[in-house]
Amino acid sequence: MVWRKDGIGLFLCFINILLLLLITTSTAQKPLVTQKPPLDASVFDKWPRVGSVDISNDGKYAMSTIENRSAGNQTMVIKAINGTWKMETTATSDGAFTQDSRTAIFIKPKDTLCLLTLGTSLVTEIAGVSSFKLVKQGSNELLAYQLNNPARDLVVRDLATGGQQSSGNVAEFIFSSDGNTLLIKTESKKDSTVTQILNWINLAGGRTTTIWRGAKAGGFVFDGSNTQLAFTAEDKVNNRTEKSLWYYKEGTDKAILLANNKSDGIDRDLKIETVSRQGFSKDGNRIFITLKEKDFATPKADAVKVDIWSYTDPKLQSQQLRELAPFPPGSGEGGGPQSYTAAIDIGSHHIIRLEQENERIQVPHGNRDDVGLITNFGTGNSDEWNWNRHSQSTYYLASTRDGKRRRIDIGSRAWPALSRDGKYVIYMDDLRRNMFSYEVAMGVKRNITRDLPIPLIDAEYDDNALPPPRGIRVAGWLDDDAGLLIYDKYDIWLLDPAGKKPPVAVTNGYGRRHDIEFRFAGYYDGARAIGDRLILNAFNKSTKDNGFYSKMLGDSDDPKRLTMGPYTYELAFLRDSPYLMPKARDAEVYLIRRSSATQAPNYFVTSDFETYTALTHVYPEAVYNWLTTELLTWKTFDGRLAQGVLYKPENFDPKKKYPVIIHYYEKKSDDLNKYHAPEPISNNLEIPWFVSRGYLVFTPDIHYTIGYPGRSAYNYVVSGAQYLTRFPWVDAGKMGIQGHSWGGFETNYLITHTNMFGAAMSSSGVSDLISGYGSISIGHDRASRQFFYEIHQNRIGVTLWQRPDLYIENSPVFRADKVTTPLLTMMNQGDGSVPFAQGVEFFTALRRLGKKAWMLQYDEGVHSLINDKDAKDFTIRSTQFFDHYLKGAPPPKWMTEGVPARLKGIETGLELDTSGKQP
């Protein structure tokens, strides 16, 4: 360059320097943009995500919560849907809009109740509020809130007039559904005696009636007219708690005793438990209650405690004993004394027990409840239905007025259900090929799917070893039971339960023709009529695209496509909403939750299901090296077409070679567009964790041949692995496999039949079908596991004695000597599904043979890991294991040196062994 002394030369020099700086800066910064950090363990406890959502009645405002926007806190966002106004704050409760769409109400930290005038910054704050409730009362609306002061004051404010009233010492309060009545339970204490008082407050007239005083009351239920109340009371009788049933009718002076445990109709071994969820009958003349068995007798202290197992027992002794014992709190299971539904006539106090032992009753949820469908499950284990005569179900129709019942002969595995208004029982035949209606009034049975123009079986069905079903099920009812809507594998049909009209293809066969599965969007409760516009959720089974179609019920046109794409669409369920759709009450505005593999779930607003406006913007994955997905198709060894999902890092470089982990469980290709929030490993492989850290993860579908589940897994997994090796960016020598539970069995099988993989991880997997077949569960039922192998997921299809060769072929332990793949397995002594011995058998076999194998056993673990500290530990060890064998990282000391039992809980062995020592 020639320097010039004039200004032009200096200017050109300056321009060249500036361009050089820009190019250098751009080049230097470009890698920083693409080189996002991998996920680390800190994200597990602070990953942001959307929470609850609501919409104002006029459709102009939306309210949503965001968890962990700041770690450990809940952020509330209230904003105008079509505008710029927005308010954000930290909240400790879900919020609510008032009926007039003018105010949002929520609670901030330090128990501050906030009333925000929408569209403004005007906020009214009330300190010391522990909870609130909005109650509609005709054209008015009430705000009830309870203070956390020592007096536990309850304040009820009329939002229209500003008038309010308060009560003190409130232990519980309940509004009637019309908002006209408030039931308050207060407490007074004298010495050590606490007395509870129930006050019935007519809010419109301002009249208060004290309806009951006693030791303890609960289980309050109003009737449909909101003029009657049922509840239970507790008293001490001979140092034991006894419950009684009470009843109050508006206008009377006080509640009356309806029944106690000595009342006629309550068997000696039963006692009153509570008012059932069914509550009052539709006509208001009866109350459905729950009776419970009294505590079982305890064995004598000096008795010989022996279990006598007999081949004539309907259930194994282990299962009988388990059913006598209460299940662990929080397990969601019911053990110990059982409960039964009964009905009591309010006028006569006559009690009718509706359920007997081993029975459950269904009562219609429509316009009548004077009939119930009773299923008697038999005295045997329900899983043994295919051979144990004690496990066969029988079915009855019963009057809930007098308890009279009649048996209906519909087979033993009919899966029956009452229609919405109780006019029909709908059931399937034993092979699940056809659907039948049983007309309750006439006692007539009809095959209502005989003329359904679809295949009689689903040829692709391989979920278990039973004969393939047709793949039809109930979707909903038209009003007054005028029509039954059902799903097949693809489409929606309208059937005539009276059997007079032919089936009508609601979706016109469009789903089957285009490989699209149609389902109703949201909850369908039967409130439909011909001419209604249906919004359908659509899933393309070939491309995995998801979206919405619309259809007018009753016309013959094809469904109209509204939107389809590489997303997962879900309807947002609104708090306390009575509507079928997440819709503004007074406007055609809907809330949708949308996500994809690369975008976290967020809320969107739509009025036509074609265009969407983002309501929330929570994308925590954007700052990390996230993932992309790709649907792969290849041919298996037997010539079938298979599908699977390949996950690549966001910063994927086709010039590099990547290690691969193959993860499987039945069929996972439908998850192509599913979002996986990062979590510590409690069972299955955490895909974002490994992909973010530089692995490819592949999830192939597995289709099964009955009797040969192991070969089936080999056919799909190994052929898929060989297909991957065709890509230059796959490191064929660094491929690992991982599976949990059923996938754990498949991992055990695969490493005994191929040496293709550099590392394998199996958790909670079966290794010996023969010993497993003869085992019992230590989980909630303590039942035999034979059914699981014969007809359930193991898919052998026959007993051990019919085909012992199949049990041996599918038992990895018999080929442990063939293993060359290093194995990390997890089996926990608390596993209620797969016996701990299954893991011990396989591990001890590999140890005896000198194979490289490690087994982790977590004291608090069950079939999966149930607490974060265990899951985080398992995540670290799993990562170290794969990093060593698939990335060449130094091994941890727990792999090279082990951790002696005396150092359990003291030393972790997680530090890396940099001495060069190999496991």
Side-chain angles (χ1 to χ4, degrees), residues 92 103-116 123-132 143-149 153-159 162 164:
T92 60
T103 307
I105 303 177
F106 54 91
I107 297 177
K108 291 199 310 186
K110 298 184 180 179
D111 295 342
T112 302
L113 181 69
C114 299
L115 285 73
L116 169 68
V123 180
T124 300
E125 295 187 347
I126 304 172
V129 175
S130 59
S131 64
F132 78 93
L143 169 64
Y145 58 88
Q146 190 160 20
L147 303 177
N148 58 7
N149 59 9
D153 289 327
L154 174 70
V155 180
V156 180
R157 177 186 295 185
D158 188 316
L159 291 178
Q164 64 183 45

Side-chain angles (χ1 to χ4, degrees), residues 719-769:
S719 68
Q722 290 187 4
Y723 175 74
L724 287 179
T725 63
R726 300 178 183 180
F727 297 106
W729 30 264
V730 167
D731 190 340
K734 300 294 182 182
M735 303 181 77
I737 54 176
Q738 190 273 348
H740 171 78
S741 190
W742 178 241
F745 152 74
E746 291 171 324
T747 297
N748 296 339
Y749 182 94
L750 288 169
I751 63 173
T752 60
H753 288 78
T754 180
N755 60 2
M756 182 178 186
F757 303 110
M761 191 169 80
S762 163
S763 57
S764 304
V766 169
S767 64
D768 184 349
L769 270 64

Side-chain angles (χ1 to χ4, degrees), residues 614-626:
L615 181 65
T616 60
H617 299 80
V618 181
Y619 297 106
E621 69 283 343
V623 299
Y624 293 97
N625 181 32
W626 197 240

Side-chain angles (χ1 to χ4, degrees), residues 248-295:
Y248 176 73
K249 183 174 179 62
E250 187 175 34
T252 59
D253 291 335
K254 61 181 180 179
I256 62 171
L257 176 69
L258 276 187
N260 58 30
N261 290 333
K262 295 181 180 179
S263 297
D264 290 341
I266 300 180
D267 296 342
R268 289 179 56 189
D269 59 341
L270 298 179
K271 59 185 179 180
I272 293 172
E273 183 178 22
T274 189
V275 180
S276 76
R277 289 184 299 174
Q278 195 77 18
F280 282 82
S281 61
K282 301 292 183 183
D283 60 12
N285 295 329
R286 286 159 292 131
I287 302 170
F288 293 96
I289 63 174
T290 301
L291 305 176
K292 189 173 184 178
E293 293 174 337
K294 294 179 179 179
D295 294 339

